[in-house]
Amino acid sequence: MPAQLLQSHQLKATKQRRELLLLMQREHRPRTAEQLQTKLKDVSLATVYRMMDDFLQAGLVNRVDLGHGHTHFEYADPKHHHHHLICDDCGRIEDVRVPNETKIVLSVGRKAKFRVRRHALEFFGLCSRCQTA
Amino acid sequence: MPAQLLQSHQLKATKQRRELLLLMQREHRPRTAEQLQTKLKDVSLATVYRMMDDFLQAGLVNRVDLGHGHTHFEYADPKHHHHHLICDDCGRIEDVRVPNETKIVLSVGRKAKFRVRRHALEFFGLCSRCQTA
DNA sequence: TTCTAGTTGAGAAAGATTCTCAATTAGATA
DNA sequence: TATCTAATTGAGAATCTTTCTCAACTAGAA
Ligand SMILES: [Mn+2]
Ligand SMILES: [Mn+2]
Ligand SMILES: [Zn+2]
Ligand SMILES: [Zn+2]
């Protein structure tokens, strides 16, 4: 599947790209370039970053800023669009869906005459466990 | 005003902090540490970063990720909470308010039993000028 | 099988942010 | 007002993340 998905975006289906895309589909969690490289073995870190640029352009992955000082990447499954709740205390990351998000985004864009192509949204605070503690 | 605002947050009202806070209140636009330092003169870049940490903790400023590879900071005026529309083409940045945002954020937090303390939201795409061109 | 534009590895380079530590200072106290 | 001390700052080194360079390699077209 990764091979065809890559080619449908005009990307050569190299071994490295197929492996990275498959890995990200399996993980479906925000990961740093370094974390991904570790699980890939035999792929240069520079190549991970380069592939990530390609995937971002193709819309296959999203950039996620968890406020850790380095970028995280996550597979962009259009069927499971979501955002994140990030605990300031324990660092736990939960996925969350925002009701009526599509409508909200469309209305914001329409009002400003801005064609919204993508958006980034994260919530920071205290997860349920850390609130009680 | 900056002096009292600082002290109300348990921050010593040093010359550097007063100047930086005043500058950010005037600019009310996302700025990098370096851009701010340039306008301050006689303040070390390390100090700008340190003050930014203090201000972030106090909730006086927000971190803004415009996707430029470095962090921007913006004065957090509670009376003018807003987000940004960032043009992929020309880089223009527009402020935008999201209707019923407070309600949406509260409902997301309630549903997940997560105490949301802050959130980051940016929209990327094409501004009105770049759509026609 | 051949050809070539696109891709990759390895390490250097570039940038951004943090750290170290001696010198300075805000503001509490006498 | 003068003194004292913990907090803050400047300068540059250090660290960390991301990008760049360029020679070697390969996907996929012919
Ligand atoms: Mn997720
Ligand atoms: Mn703004
Ligand atoms: Zn937590
Ligand atoms: Zn534009």
Side-chain angles (χ1 to χ4, degrees), chain A:
Chain A
M1 194 58 87
Q4 282 114 78
L5 187 51
L6 287 166
Q7 287 169 334
S8 75
H9 287 280
Q10 285 67 255
L11 294 172
K12 274 194 186 180
T14 65
K15 180 161 166 291
Q16 292 87 337
R17 282 178 179 161
R18 278 182 278 117
E19 283 186 13
L20 175 58
L21 189 53
L22 190 59
L23 172 63
M24 295 191 78
Q25 287 176 331
R26 290 219 189 93
E27 300 259 328
H28 59 73
R29 317 209 63 224
R31 294 298 189 203
T32 64
E34 195 180 27
Q35 290 175 323
L36 294 166
Q37 190 211 11
T38 297
K39 303 202 178 184
L40 287 174
K41 300 215 177 68
D42 296 328
V43 176
S44 151
L45 187 55
T47 298
V48 174
Y49 278 110
R50 280 183 296 225
M51 291 192 285
M52 226 43 96
D53 283 346
D54 297 334
F55 292 1
L56 283 166
Q57 284 251 321
L60 292 170
V61 304
N62 290 139
R63 202 188 279 281
V64 181
D65 182 357
L66 302 177
H68 292 186
H70 42 248
T71 304
H72 287 246
F73 303 93
E74 183 174 45
Y75 181 65
D77 183 343
K79 298 298 178 202
H80 296 81
H81 177 81
H82 65 273
H83 295 283
H84 301 99
L85 300 169
I86 301 138
C87 183
D88 287 330
D89 221 56
C90 70
R92 197 184 315 282
I93 297 162
E94 296 172 50
D95 288 354
V96 68
R97 281 166 169 282
V98 176
N100 304 109
E101 186 174 358
T102 304
K103 273 184 185 162
I104 296 167
V105 173
L106 285 175
S107 94
V108 166
R110 192 177 333 112
K111 197 174 306 179
K113 295 188 183 7
F114 189 98
R115 179 181 295 171
V116 178
R117 291 207 280 218
R118 65 192 186 289
H119 60 276
L121 170 60
E122 335 293 331
F123 301 89
F124 298 87
L126 292 181
C127 75
S128 55
R129 302 188 205 190
C130 293
Q131 279 171 61
T132 59

Side-chain angles (χ1 to χ4, degrees), chain B residues 9-125:
Chain B
H9 288 279
Q10 284 66 259
L11 294 172
K12 275 194 186 180
T14 65
K15 181 162 165 290
Q16 292 87 339
R17 283 179 179 160
R18 280 182 276 116
E19 283 187 14
L20 175 57
L21 190 52
L22 189 59
L23 172 62
M24 294 190 79
Q25 288 176 331
R26 291 221 189 91
E27 299 261 325
H28 61 72
R29 316 211 62 223
R31 292 298 189 203
T32 64
E34 195 180 27
Q35 289 175 325
L36 293 166
Q37 191 212 10
T38 297
K39 302 202 181 186
L40 286 174
K41 298 216 177 68
D42 297 328
V43 177
S44 149
L45 187 55
T47 297
V48 174
Y49 278 110
R50 281 184 294 225
M51 292 191 284
M52 227 41 98
D53 284 345
D54 299 333
F55 292 2
L56 283 165
Q57 285 250 323
L60 291 170
V61 305
N62 290 138
R63 204 187 276 285
V64 181
D65 182 358
L66 302 177
H68 292 185
H70 43 249
T71 304
H72 287 246
F73 303 93
E74 183 173 45
Y75 180 65
D77 183 344
K79 298 296 177 202
H80 296 79
H81 178 81
H82 64 273
H83 295 283
H84 301 100
L85 300 168
I86 300 137
C87 182
D88 288 329
D89 221 56
C90 70
R92 197 183 315 282
I93 297 162
E94 296 172 51
D95 288 353
V96 67
R97 282 166 168 281
V98 176
N100 304 109
E101 185 174 359
T102 303
K103 274 185 185 160
I104 296 167
V105 173
L106 285 175
S107 94
V108 166
R110 191 176 335 110
K111 197 175 306 179
K113 297 189 185 358
F114 188 99
R115 179 181 294 170
V116 177
R117 291 208 280 220
R118 64 193 188 288
H119 60 275
L121 170 60
E122 335 295 330
F123 300 90
F124 298 86

